[in-house]
């Protein structure tokens, strides 16, 4: 979950920013203009734009899903990104998502059975700082780990932005940091 998106990012998710106000065309425009399509390359995307603002997307790729929901209003801007894609490290994905939405605050939750979590070589919750090259560093303010219902493990961390950098490097960063699946 991401809060307090950069205004220039949030602006993509207003119907008035779309050249074609028809819902399907507006959704496609929002997906491309915001860079969300780069987060799920090759996926089948079902996206929706809302009037006057807002966005929802579901994507399927190789049996894994990704879903994005956005409320762009400045006083309560919010974006969520969820995926079932099994990765040994989520660092590149988290960096790409943060560089796309540029929130001030982020909550990362990792949920899975104990065996699945054991396959994650680098647990993102362990990182006290998330460095997003070309954009910012986020400092962890809290972390929590628990086991529920048998072998279901839930870990969660909260981070806040510490320093912003030149956003022009973001697109190059996304191109050079491809995500590696298990």
């Amino acid at each position: 979950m991401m809060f307090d998106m950069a205004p220039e990012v949030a602006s993509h998710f207003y119907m008035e920013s779309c050249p074609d106000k028809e819902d399907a065309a507006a959704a496609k425009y929002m997906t491309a203009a915001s860079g969300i399509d780069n987060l799920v390359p090759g996926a089948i995307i079902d996206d929706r734009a809302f009037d006057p603002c807002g966005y929802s997307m579901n994507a399927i790729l190789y049996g894994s899903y990704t879903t994005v929901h956005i409320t762009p209003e400045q006083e309560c801007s919010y974006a969520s990104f969820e995926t079932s894609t099994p990765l040994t490290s989520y660092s590149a994905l988290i960096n790409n998502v943060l560089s796309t939405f540029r929130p001030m605050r982020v909550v990362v939750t990792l949920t899975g059975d104990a065996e699945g979590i054991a396959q994650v070589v680098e647990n993102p919750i362990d990182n006290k700082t998330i460095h997003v090259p070309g954009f910012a560093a986020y400092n962890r303010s809290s972390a929590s780990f628990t086991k529920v219902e048998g072998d279901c493990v839930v870990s969660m961390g909260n981070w806040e932005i510490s320093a912003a950098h030149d956003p022009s490097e973001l697109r190059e960063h996304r191109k050079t940091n491809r995500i590696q699946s298990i």
Side-chain angles (χ1 to χ4, degrees), residues 83-143:
T83 187
S84 65
T85 304
L87 302 171
T88 56
S89 173
Y90 288 89
S91 293
L93 178 61
I94 290 169
N95 284 353
N96 289 337
V97 169
L98 291 175
S99 68
T100 298
F101 295 104
R102 296 188 282 152
M104 296 299 286
R105 298 176 293 132
V106 61
V107 176
V108 175
T109 305
L110 185 64
T111 305
D113 61 31
E115 184 179 326
I117 297 296
Q119 293 179 26
V120 177
V121 175
E122 181 185 351
N123 187 331
I125 312 306
D126 294 337
N127 298 329
K128 290 186 179 181
T129 303
I130 299 173
H131 295 281
V132 181
F135 175 56
Y138 290 83
N139 295 322
R140 191 182 70 206
S141 57
S142 63

Side-chain angles (χ1 to χ4, degrees), residues 49-67:
F50 301 101
D51 194 7
C53 63
Y55 173 87
S56 252
M57 183 278 290
N58 293 302
I60 300 289
L61 182 65
Y62 302 120
S64 293
Y65 73 84
T66 299
T67 186

